[in-house]
Amino acid sequence: MTFKDVIVVGGGAAGFFAAINIAEQNPNLKVAILERSKEGLAKVKVSGGGRCNVTHAEFIPKELTQNYPRGEKELLGPFHQFMTGDTIEWFEKHGVELKIEDDGRMFPVSNSSQTIINCFLNEAEKHQVEVFYSHIVKAIDPQDQQFKIETSQGDFLTNKLLIATGSNPKIWNLLEPLGHTISQPVPSLFTFNIKDERIQDIPGVVAQDVEVKVLDTNLWSEGPLLITHWGMSAPSILKLSAFGALELAKRDYKFQIEINFIRQTFNDCLEVLKTLKQDLAKKTVFKSTQFDIPKRLWHKLVLASGMEMETRWADLNKEKLENLAGQLTQAIFKVDGKSTFKEEFVTAGGINLKEIDFKTFESKRVKNLYFAGEVINVDAITGGFNFQNAWTGAYIAAKNIAQ
């Protein structure tokens, strides 16, 4: 049996960050990571299209918490201990400079996730953190203030245990007998599958600023909307999927959304269209794109309003004007299913937040057992927020373990 002072289960973002910080803050401790795959940090590699979206340029704890559908209340205290500014400083101290993009997302200046991976591997080696790859954890057994961990390649004994395995049902199953309850996992970041004449054959079109509501709920969001081969995506949709994760799962991902493509009321839009009817009388509606709507989408919405390609503005009667205003401000689409990006898959669900002490990220059920990252029931919208949760939990747990 191999003994280590501290064992971290999970060689992802939170696991490596925690292990490095423990070893750095207390060089006397023998620290090891158990990782089930042949190499760790898989999510780091693919995040942000291979550039690794490390965090988000949001520097006020209260505002940062508002990006977490689950965990908003619980993360406020932790973010006062370690958040975005601390993350930037940590990476800079360890040789990785970050930059802020226009939308607030932060990436390494190198634009490559390999920079982050190399940083972690180098720091782990420098601080003698041992990484055991291809070690699948089979059982966790608390024994006399220690933990015996059975793996596919032998047993380990440790004084302190940190679980950073992300959304892994097998590990959740091992934690339940220790007294932890698991909030049932459901997908959180996903795109909407929609078959509709109005978005057919125009994949790649982006409406820059829309408002989307899920009918019969109080769910809504705003932001860019991307039309894809299978339906709709981009921040406005992904935000809805995160905040609506539980509700939309209940509906088996079959529901209706209403989209306001121009962020104006129906009546305001109608007034503008009446003016255009006068000003552009001789022109065809089809060819005179308005409201900064992408041309291909405008064409689709005009045809969906019951017009021909040759219809001129002068020819629009009250009904046609109202139809067009309706398509622009109150377009209803039927969602039938979802698609997820397997690599960047995020789930809502995990260890019940009431069972964790958020001052230390230690289990309230089992002494010397800690958690970090998505193994707990915290998840965020897209944009670097899930990683920030990982860094914060891992750092605070590491600080307490190292002491």
Side-chain angles (χ1 to χ4, degrees):
M1 186 161 351
T2 309
F3 174 79
K4 297 286 172 190
D5 296 299
V6 185
I7 283 183
V8 175
V9 179
F16 264 90
F17 200 70
I20 291 163
N21 278 291
I22 294 164
E24 205 169 44
Q25 291 175 41
N26 188 342
N28 299 323
L29 295 175
K30 288 197 186 100
V31 184
I33 295 173
L34 303 178
E35 166 55 34
R36 63 182 171 161
S37 63
K38 287 196 185 89
E39 51 182 300
L41 300 165
K43 245 188 183 176
V44 171
K45 197 174 183 63
V46 297
S47 146
R51 296 195 300 143
C52 189
N53 185 184
V54 175
T55 185
H56 200 96
E58 173 52 76
F59 299 98
I60 299 163
K62 183 87 182 110
E63 287 178 18
L64 183 58
T65 63
Q66 284 161 17
N67 297 287
Y68 297 84
R70 280 143 296 273
E72 179 180 347
K73 188 170 92 255
E74 290 80 5
L75 287 174
L76 185 57
F79 283 156
H80 278 284
Q81 278 197 64
F82 188 96
M83 62 170 283
T84 319
D86 306 292
T87 301
I88 297 165
E89 192 186 343
W90 191 95
F91 278 104
E92 277 184 358
K93 261 190 196 158
H94 295 82
V96 179
E97 205 183 326
L98 303 180
K99 59 170 178 171
I100 303 174
E101 305 217 326
D102 292 344
D103 58 5
R105 291 183 304 161
M106 297 194 70
F107 295 90
V109 169
S110 66
N111 270 332
S112 166
S113 56
Q114 198 57 45
T115 307
I116 305 293
I117 293 170
N118 293 345
C119 167
F120 284 169
L121 295 176
N122 293 339
E123 290 299 321
E125 193 178 344
K126 179 171 144 191
H127 294 288
Q128 298 176 334
V129 172
E130 213 171 337
V131 189
F132 294 89
Y133 293 107
S134 305
H135 278 61
I136 297 161
V137 171
K138 299 286 187 68
I140 297 169
D141 182 14
Q143 300 180 337
D144 309 329
Q145 301 190 334
Q146 289 186 312
F147 298 91
K148 182 185 172 196
I149 299 151
E150 289 177 32
T151 81
S152 53
Q153 300 207 43
D155 298 349
F156 291 78
L157 195 65
T158 188
N159 296 332
K160 302 208 172 188
L161 179 60
L162 188 146
I163 307 288
T165 45
S167 307
N168 182 341
K170 286 181 178 150
I171 296 293
W172 285 330
N173 292 342
L174 299 182
L175 293 169
E176 277 186 307
L178 306 185
H180 277 291
T181 30
I182 308 300
S183 304
Q184 269 322 101
V186 295
S188 175
L189 288 180
F190 50 85
T191 60
F192 293 176
N193 294 355
I194 299 169
K195 280 194 172 66
D196 191 293
E197 185 58 41
R198 289 166 292 178
I199 58 169
Q200 212 178 329
D201 307 322
I202 57 167
V205 165
V206 177
Q208 279 305 340
D209 189 21
V210 307
E211 188 175 279
V212 191
K213 292 177 187 161
V214 178
L215 294 186
D216 306 323
T217 73
N218 54 9
L219 292 166
W220 73 279
S221 82
E222 57 195 359
L225 176 120
L226 168 70
I227 291 164
T228 67
H229 287 287
W230 58 85
M232 291 179 184
S233 182
S236 63
I237 298 296
L238 294 173
K239 239 184 273 182
L240 265 190
S241 77
F243 280 93
L246 305 180
E247 181 60 44
L248 302 180
K250 263 188 233 160
R251 293 165 185 248
D252 197 25
Y253 308 105
K254 290 174 174 51
F255 52 92
Q256 288 186 313
I257 56 173
E258 179 185 292
I259 300 179
N260 185 334
F261 286 106
I262 62 173
R263 301 289 295 275
Q264 290 187 19
T265 66
F266 174 84
N267 289 334
D268 287 350
C269 175
L270 197 54
E271 289 309 310
V272 175
L273 294 178
K274 284 176 184 169
T275 307
L276 291 168
K277 177 181 155 96
Q278 308 297 326
D279 296 351
L280 304 174
K282 291 184 175 167
K283 296 191 167 174
T284 64
V285 181
F286 188 82
K287 282 193 177 155
S288 18
T289 311
Q290 300 298 323
F291 303 102
D292 289 333
I293 282 192
K295 194 191 288 178
R296 290 193 293 162
L297 178 59
W298 173 263
H299 291 167
K300 291 281 193 180
L301 297 178
V302 167
L303 297 176
S305 309
M307 298 181 211
E308 306 295 324
M309 285 166 79
E310 297 74 38
T311 306
R312 293 177 316 158
W313 284 96
D315 305 332
L316 296 188
N317 57 18
K318 184 169 179 275
E319 186 192 354
K320 292 252 167 72
L321 284 166
E322 285 179 352
N323 284 351
L324 183 53
Q327 288 295 340
L328 291 166
T329 62
Q330 305 168 340
I332 307 282
F333 290 87
K334 203 168 142 199
V335 177
D336 187 7
K338 60 172 173 52
S339 296
T340 41
F341 314 111
K342 283 289 174 276
E343 322 78 61
E344 297 211 27
F345 192 61
V346 170
T347 52
I351 291 160
N352 188 317
L353 302 182
K354 289 190 173 73
E355 299 167 4
I356 296 159
D357 177 351
F358 280 92
K359 289 189 179 74
T360 58
F361 281 78
E362 186 176 11
S363 160
K364 288 180 180 175
R365 298 278 187 268
V366 184
K367 199 168 163 40
N368 294 325
L369 174 63
Y370 294 79
F371 304 107
E374 263 186 72
V375 67
I376 64 178
N377 187 20
V378 168
D379 62 288
I381 62 171
T382 180
F385 301 106
N386 281 298
F387 273 141
Q388 186 54 56
N389 166 51
W391 314 137
T392 296
Y395 185 85
I396 293 171
K399 191 172 112 184
N400 286 278
I401 290 169
Q403 285 166 1

